[in-house]
Amino acid sequence: MHQTEAFQHRINKALNNQQVRQNIRSVMSSLMLKRANQFPDSEKLELQRTQAQEIRQRALANQADLLEQLEQKLTDNGIEVHWAETAQQANEIIYSILKSANATSVVKGKSMVSEEIGLNQYLESRQIDILESDLGEFIIQLAHEPPSHIVVPAIHKNRKEVAELFHQHFPELSYTEDVDELTLMARKILRQKFEQADAGISGVNFAVAETGTLCLVENEGNGRLSTTAPDLHIAVTGIEKVVEKLSDVPHLLNMLTKSATGQPITTYFNMISKPRQPGEKDGPRAVHLVLVDNGRSRIRLDNELLDTLRCIRCGSCINHCPVYVQLGGHAYGTTYPGPIGSVLEPQLSGIDKLGTLTSACSLCGACGEACPVKIPLPKLINRLRAESVNATYHDSKTPGTGSMRSFSQTLAWKCWQFIYATPFAYRLFSWVATRFSFLTPNHLGGWTKYRTLPKPARKTLSQLVKQEGFANE
Amino acid sequence: MGTDSPKKVYFFASCLVDLLYPAAGLSAMNILRQQDVKVIFPDNQGCCGQPAFNSGYREEAYGVARALMNRFPKDIPVVVPSASCAGMLKHHWPELFAGRTDELLALDIASRTFELTEYLVTELDIKLSDLGEPVQVAIHSSCSAQREMRVSQHIESLVGQLDQVDVIKQQRQQECCGFGGTFSVKQADISGAMVEDKTSALRDTGAQIVISQDCGCLMNIGTAFEKQSLINKQSAPLTKHIAEFIWERCHASD
Amino acid sequence: MNDARANILRRLRSNNITLENDAAHSSTASLANRPIDSYWNKQQQIEHLTQNMQAVRTEVHHLSNGDWLDWLKRELPVRGFKQVLVGDNETGNRVIQSMEDSLKISRYDRQIENWKSELFQDVDVGITTTLGAVAETGSLILWPDKAEPRLMSLVPPVHVALLNANHIVDTFSEAITKLNWVDKTPTNALLISGPSKTSDIEQTLAFGIHGPRQLIVLIFDHK
């Protein structure tokens, strides 16, 4: 199967990159520790997670009404709202806004939706000069790589790699591996761009329907600069980011920053409700919001899968995933890696394209426990596995259901069922296994690459209990 | 269970224990019997259905689970020496049986399913006296014990009752060992990388024995130790199910 | 694009989700991160705020009434700053009147387009007032306006913020209520909790990546 082979290829490549694995292990350990320090009381954490879950559930339940209210409020505030059903539509809308404003240079704040829709490539191919301004995004843009994590996108690179990258692109600046100096360098380079850019593009963390407010969470100030310094600001966001009330925001913000990076709050929480008003001296004169569906409203049709949409993109599930820590983000080959990616991406692109991602999970449950809005990620991964081999599963709307069913696998599970559901068959099976355990091969696929093969005992427990005088009813 | 009548339980060993780790199952049953619990071991137990369920083959999982459910008709606890299989009965059977004719029985069994250490501590309030030699152990609680059944505190408290046993904490204690059932075959290299990290954290403790409440983890960790020893000629800790560990150290006490 | 709007809304409306009672009526009013009966008094608020701000390398000074002007007069020249930006308001006037000649003081009284490169390249310090602060998270509350525009607290490498101790609240939620935030809907509102920072290279903390390298908060007690 093509997607599976491609995934296996990326997995092998990732596992062989010891440097990246070390980088990621050390960062993930530190992020987990920082988060844990923010939630010292586990009972309180449960309550906080439940409350965050309820806020998000309420928003999703009333999503259509809230989006209409958001549109109305934003329009009243002077912000223009656009709707895009697909990635293509979203890109076209953004390009046409830029074009009619004669904007050719863009600074961009971090936005995962823009990665999802491939905005940079779309605009670059139309001669728009687009610059990522978040330091991590800036680094990977220089390297022509996708992000490897949704919160810390360049975490797979160490300082030496960053230093070389900067030196290669800006030979006029002297080579340094000092993080403070590298940061200062980036400041200088990007400053000029902020000053000159025609437009800024940003994502949105929460869109408040009640007030028509776009909220952005960040530490660097590039988000504020992108949304304030140029004369045009385009915000792009998934339709699931709408929340009902302003009073919903403090708790979500609290859970977001603590779960993401273990910070009680980020440096900047930026709430934008209007373009520059008469008499105001800065800020963009025009602000647009592009609401992107790209499969989300279809996911919402399924009462189990819609939990996926509760996500606030904190990356905590990724930080806690024992598979991600081995692979890093690039092995997944998708915008969103780790547990949330393995749940969201097959739904967005189809099981026939990305269903194989769900195999990279031991169902250990660490992600579900770390999720600040209690998305049952292991349950959803398991559900998607069921869909991947069953075309009619629960009338699923996910594209490509059943596409991963194979004859040999199905046959193997049928045999397994026969053995374990038929007492005679099981007795025969265990009789053979115990008597002829010396026949167990020494090599069995990937298992024996890392382990020996377990041998059946001489007598099964079922046989032993009778000798020991235990009752059977 | 505050009744005066003698306690009776069903014992569901799990397919792994039945075929590969019968000593763990027998030890668990002996401990229960020693606590004056009448242990019923129904014939033809089979499997809880988890391997197929976690691989997406829910119809096949249902077929196997339904065969098993009929072995536990009486309204008495079902004790399982595996948090993973107990978790399947308790948390996934309701999902697997949802909307089917036997849903009520599945819910009923789910409500009376106990993981072994949970039953020993919360229902029996067992008191252990240690007769063994001093030993250092590392505890590996399975993911199901920690995050699904939420019973990992019980293995700690049981071992804590043993005077001669020193528990050494491993690095990244909560991290998965990489077993994950069919995951270990389907994603063998990821699973292999995970078990390498886990075994090296366990070796680093210097403990002589690694104990767990789940034979899946023990099989994964134990056979990885064995393979590493074959390659590097290094000695490795033993792996042992908590029931076997307790029974060996305590059973001469009465 | 009207099709897109209609199609999305239609799909969203075609699945009516019923919430369990709790979720439907969940209120965030009780979401305080500490027991509801332990509101902080002013001294405690100042302590929490200061502690939280200092934890992220914010410089905090407690001054008595009116002393903030003396502080600026004394400290700004000592620290080698050359050009200071103030707002087009009474606070700005007071700073202008009291500063020595060695400092160039600009007032943000023009549209940004007329002096963007000066702001980006020459200004060392921006001095702003604040609406208040959140003690629990160590955050300043700013609603930039005509007199103190948005870029003042962002572009200069140093941001000096004046905070009236009486305007500190315990939590962000409390601030939303107290400031009547919903009805007022400012063009832009900010919580600022430290100097600009990044950990994008090896998770190593570095300051001043895009916004101010330094945040100085002068807390004064105004009766």
Side-chain angles (χ1 to χ4, degrees):
Chain A
M1 192 176 289
H2 187 254
Q3 54 158 333
T4 301
E5 280 161 21
F7 188 33
Q8 290 308 324
H9 177 74
R10 292 194 302 269
I11 286 170
N12 291 337
K13 203 172 142 196
L15 288 173
N16 285 320
N17 195 333
Q18 297 298 335
Q19 180 64 58
V20 170
R21 284 174 68 190
Q22 261 172 36
N23 296 352
I24 301 230
R25 170 64 91 179
S26 100
V27 173
M28 294 306 118
S29 302
S30 128
L31 287 172
M32 281 195 277
L33 185 66
K34 284 189 199 163
R35 172 190 175 270
N37 290 340
Q38 291 295 335
F39 297 114
D41 179 341
S42 59
E43 259 173 59
K44 200 169 102 182
L45 171 60
E46 267 312 290
L47 185 70
Q48 289 175 311
R49 291 171 70 220
T50 303
Q51 284 166 328
Q53 169 190 1
E54 287 172 0
I55 294 172
R56 292 293 300 135
Q57 280 177 319
R58 180 156 44 79
L60 288 172
N62 306 320
Q63 200 181 358
D65 291 347
L66 292 180
L67 284 170
E68 283 188 316
Q69 187 188 0
L70 176 72
E71 180 185 42
Q72 187 61 53
K73 281 284 171 187
L74 286 170
T75 310
D76 293 348
N77 293 351
I79 293 177
E80 203 177 321
V81 179
H82 311 261
W83 302 69
E85 258 189 298
T86 61
Q88 175 71 17
Q89 277 177 18
N91 288 330
E92 283 165 7
I93 291 167
I94 294 167
Y95 178 61
S96 77
I97 298 170
L98 292 171
K99 212 174 155 198
S100 48
N102 287 321
T104 55
S105 65
V106 176
V107 280
K108 207 164 145 253
K110 199 169 151 7
S111 153
M112 289 313 293
V113 176
S114 75
E115 301 279 352
E116 176 189 324
I117 63 177
L119 179 64
N120 287 12
Q121 297 88 310
Y122 185 91
L123 295 180
E124 275 163 6
S125 70
R126 282 158 186 77
Q127 279 66 56
I128 302 279
D129 176 22
I130 184 157
L131 187 79
E132 292 288 351
S133 62
D134 170 87
L135 180 59
E137 294 280 349
F138 177 65
I139 291 167
I140 58 171
Q141 192 183 25
L142 291 179
H144 301 290
E145 286 173 12
S148 63
H149 188 288
I150 64 171
V151 174
V152 280
I155 211 56
H156 55 290
K157 292 218 173 301
N158 60 25
R159 69 181 74 196
K160 197 164 180 307
E161 293 169 289
V162 176
E164 280 160 10
L165 203 56
F166 276 31
H167 190 61
Q168 181 194 331
H169 283 83
F170 309 102
E172 69 278 10
L173 303 173
S174 55
Y175 181 89
T176 175
E177 290 179 16
D178 182 277
V179 172
D180 282 326
E181 287 175 30
L182 287 168
T183 303
L184 197 64
M185 247 186 224
R187 179 184 174 101
K188 277 187 191 142
I189 298 161
L190 288 159
R191 269 264 132 163
Q192 208 188 349
K193 304 284 184 181
F194 280 124
E195 192 189 323
Q196 292 158 357
D198 300 322
I201 294 180
S202 77
V204 174
N205 290 96
F206 317 112
V208 185
E210 179 183 36
T211 52
T213 302
L214 310 176
C215 304
L216 278 81
V217 178
E218 58 149 343
N219 280 311
E220 297 189 356
N222 68 308
R224 283 182 67 195
L225 278 165
S226 306
T227 58
T228 313
D231 207 32
L232 169 64
H233 169 210
I234 305 170
V236 51
T237 191
I239 53 170
E240 83 283 16
K241 288 291 176 70
V242 67
V243 297
E244 186 181 348
K245 297 183 209 145
L246 197 61
S247 59
D248 292 334
V249 169
H251 187 56
L252 290 180
L253 173 65
N254 177 46
M255 295 304 281
L256 172 61
T257 63
K258 286 180 174 169
S259 305
T261 51
Q263 291 177 275
I265 193 166
T266 50
T267 299
Y268 301 116
F269 186 58
N270 180 10
M271 306 166 78
I272 299 163
S273 301
K274 296 169 191 166
R276 189 190 306 188
Q277 298 296 292
E280 290 179 355
K281 300 181 185 90
D282 60 19
R285 288 199 176 79
V287 180
H288 298 259
L289 175 68
V290 182
L291 292 167
V292 182
D293 183 344
N294 200 29
R296 289 164 172 77
S297 61
R298 187 193 61 234
I299 293 172
R300 192 183 168 282
L301 294 174
D302 185 290
N303 286 332
E304 186 176 28
L305 294 174
L306 66 81
D307 287 349
T308 313
L309 302 169
R310 235 187 264 158
C311 178
I312 56 173
R313 304 286 188 263
C314 70
S316 183
C317 61
I318 302 173
N319 301 345
H320 289 75
C321 176
V323 171
Y324 176 89
V325 81
Q326 301 292 347
L327 297 179
H330 288 161
Y332 295 84
T334 48
T335 303
Y336 308 95
I340 185 63
S342 301
V343 168
L344 179 61
E345 294 280 3
Q347 295 185 68
L348 293 179
S349 302
I351 283 171
D352 48 334
K353 307 256 176 4
L354 291 171
T356 187
L357 293 178
T358 61
S359 70
C361 171
S362 65
L363 295 174
C364 81
C367 52
E369 198 179 59
C371 178
V373 290
K374 290 189 152 181
I375 301 172
L377 289 157
K379 188 175 164 205
L380 296 181
I381 287 174
N382 206 345
R383 152 77 191 260
L384 289 170
R385 287 181 182 176
E387 278 193 31
S388 69
V389 294
N390 186 344
T392 57
Y393 188 88
H394 275 253
D395 293 328
S396 172
K397 307 286 186 296
T398 314
T401 42
S403 60
M404 294 179 71
R405 190 179 182 90
S406 77
F407 177 75
S408 58
Q409 286 238 358
T410 309
L411 184 68
W413 286 114
K414 291 277 179 219
C415 290
W416 172 86
Q417 181 187 352
F418 176 72
I419 289 170
Y420 278 97
T422 320
F424 164 74
Y426 180 70
R427 277 198 300 273
L428 181 68
F429 166 72
S430 53
W431 186 85
V432 171
T434 48
R435 293 289 141 66
F436 299 97
S437 72
F438 62 89
L439 289 178
T440 317
N442 285 324
H443 295 281
L444 191 79
W447 174 274
T448 49
K449 198 164 147 192
Y450 306 96
R451 312 167 191 84
T452 58
L453 206 65
K455 304 254 189 232
R458 284 165 176 277
K459 279 188 177 170
T460 64
L461 182 63
S462 313
Q463 292 166 320
L464 288 173
V465 289
K466 294 210 172 84
Q467 297 171 9
E468 301 283 330
F470 285 99
N472 63 0
E473 59 177 347
Chain B
M1 320 187 87
T3 54
D4 291 331
S5 56
K7 291 192 172 74
K8 254 196 234 172
V9 301
Y10 286 122
F11 191 79
F12 169 52
S14 82
C15 52
L16 212 57
V17 165
D18 188 43
L19 203 57
L20 297 170
Y21 298 94
L26 205 56
S27 302
M29 293 171 72
N30 280 326
I31 295 169
L32 289 167
R33 182 156 65 177
Q34 194 191 37
Q35 296 294 309
D36 297 324
V37 176
K38 182 169 187 222
V39 185
I40 301 170
F41 186 92
D43 289 332
N44 303 319
Q45 297 205 346
C47 172
C48 62
Q50 185 173 206
F53 183 74
N54 286 352
S55 301
Y57 287 84
R58 295 198 177 182
E59 280 312 307
E60 291 74 7
Y62 171 68
V64 166
R66 201 178 51 165
L68 177 62
M69 92 187 313
N70 293 321
R71 314 283 175 234
F72 312 124
K74 293 181 199 159
D75 185 22
I76 56 172
V78 179
V79 177
V80 191
S82 154
S84 165
C85 308
M88 181 69 195
L89 266 59
K90 201 169 186 67
H91 297 287
H92 301 296
W93 272 21
E95 193 185 345
L96 185 61
F97 285 85
R100 304 191 198 245
T101 48
D102 28 23
E103 183 179 0
L104 282 180
L105 181 55
L107 288 171
D108 174 42
I109 292 174
S111 73
R112 52 188 162 93
T113 296
F114 292 85
E115 184 271 335
L116 174 71
T117 63
E118 176 191 22
Y119 189 80
L120 293 178
V121 174
T122 65
E123 299 300 308
L124 300 182
D125 193 17
I126 191 170
K127 297 284 174 269
L128 302 174
S129 51
D130 192 2
L131 306 171
E133 296 292 308
V135 67
Q136 293 182 315
V137 303
I139 298 175
H140 171 75
S141 267
S142 70
C143 296
S144 311
Q146 293 182 68
R147 289 177 281 268
E148 188 164 76
M149 292 294 288
R150 299 187 174 276
V151 295
S152 58
Q153 68 275 27
H154 302 311
I155 189 171
E156 309 268 350
S157 83
L158 287 172
V159 176
Q161 289 188 38
L162 302 172
D163 296 336
Q164 301 291 313
V165 179
D166 222 6
V167 179
I168 309 178
K169 215 177 139 139
Q170 49 166 317
Q171 262 226 309
R172 299 190 294 266
Q173 173 137 7
Q174 287 159 343
E175 191 168 285
C176 176
C177 70
F179 178 53
T182 52
F183 167 77
S184 61
V185 182
K186 268 198 173 165
Q187 288 295 359
D189 291 317
I190 303 176
S191 171
M194 289 163 75
V195 77
E196 272 178 8
D197 279 1
K198 179 55 73 180
T199 48
S200 97
L202 288 167
R203 274 177 195 276
D204 286 348
T205 63
Q208 291 114 288
I209 307 178
V210 173
I211 51 178
S212 175
Q213 63 288 82
D214 269 82
C215 285
C217 309
L218 289 173
M219 176 171 78
N220 184 41
I221 294 167
T223 55
F225 275 147
E226 220 173 278
K227 178 84 174 188
Q228 292 158 10
S229 300
L230 285 175
I231 296 169
N232 306 326
K233 310 284 172 225
Q234 276 179 300
S235 68
L238 294 172
T239 52
K240 204 160 270 206
H241 189 271
I242 177 68
E244 203 178 344
F245 183 72
I246 291 177
W247 183 246
E248 281 176 5
R249 297 188 72 88
C250 307
H251 82 279
S253 62
D254 292 341
Chain C
M1 291 309 127
N2 280 336
D3 275 357
R5 182 183 188 278
N7 291 344
I8 293 168
L9 289 173
R10 183 173 35 75
R11 259 194 308 276
L12 294 178
R13 291 216 159 89
S14 70
N15 184 15
N16 245 331
I17 300 167
T18 39
L19 291 172
E20 284 170 34
N21 220 17
D22 284 355
H25 301 292
S26 66
S27 157
T28 47
S30 62
L31 281 174
N33 286 308
R34 59 191 157 59
I36 207 83
D37 55 358
S38 66
Y39 283 101
W40 292 321
N41 64 34
K42 192 160 106 189
Q43 201 46 47
Q44 289 169 318
Q45 286 178 329
I46 294 174
E47 276 165 28
H48 282 279
L49 181 76
T50 304
Q51 202 179 5
N52 289 326
M53 297 207 93
Q54 285 173 341
V56 286
R57 229 189 271 183
T58 302
E59 190 179 325
V60 183
H61 299 279
H62 302 129
L63 306 166
S64 53
N65 189 17
D67 283 354
W68 61 268
L69 209 52
D70 297 332
W71 190 95
L72 290 174
K73 215 166 137 181
R74 188 176 67 243
E75 290 291 327
L76 293 186
V78 174
R79 297 183 184 215
F81 300 134
K82 295 191 178 59
Q83 188 169 347
V84 177
L85 177 65
V86 297
D88 193 10
N89 54 11
E90 182 52 30
T91 306
N93 293 340
R94 291 181 66 186
V95 175
I96 289 170
Q97 282 158 18
S98 66
M99 275 310 148
E100 311 282 340
D101 293 340
S102 64
L103 274 175
K104 183 179 174 194
I105 304 185
S106 317
R107 200 199 286 269
Y108 203 147
D109 54 7
R110 293 150 285 171
Q111 296 282 309
I112 180 64
E113 287 74 16
N114 301 326
W115 70 300
K116 207 172 194 175
S117 70
E118 188 185 337
L119 172 62
F120 271 78
Q121 284 156 33
D122 301 335
V123 176
D124 296 313
V125 187
I127 301 174
T128 73
T129 60
T130 59
L131 234 66
V134 177
E136 183 192 58
T137 52
S139 313
L140 301 169
I141 303 167
L142 275 79
W143 290 5
D145 57 11
K146 292 172 191 173
E148 292 185 352
R150 293 159 73 166
L151 292 173
M152 274 186 86
S153 60
L154 180 61
V155 173
V158 178
H159 174 204
V160 178
L162 309 175
L163 171 64
N164 183 333
N166 295 306
H167 296 166
I168 303 173
V169 293
D170 289 6
T171 64
F172 184 15
S173 297
E174 211 180 310
I176 289 176
T177 316
K178 265 200 175 155
L179 293 172
N180 197 9
W181 209 310
V182 173
D183 292 331
K184 289 193 172 159
T185 318
T187 301
N188 179 223
L190 299 162
L191 297 184
I192 299 180
S193 314
S196 157
K197 63 178 184 285
T198 183
S199 308
D200 276 350
I201 304 175
E202 289 188 2
Q203 280 284 292
T204 307
L205 199 54
F207 289 90
I209 168 68
H210 293 297
R213 257 195 290 282
Q214 216 182 345
L215 172 64
I216 302 170
V217 180
L218 306 182
I219 306 178
F220 58 94
D221 209 339
H222 204 4
K223 296 284 154 355

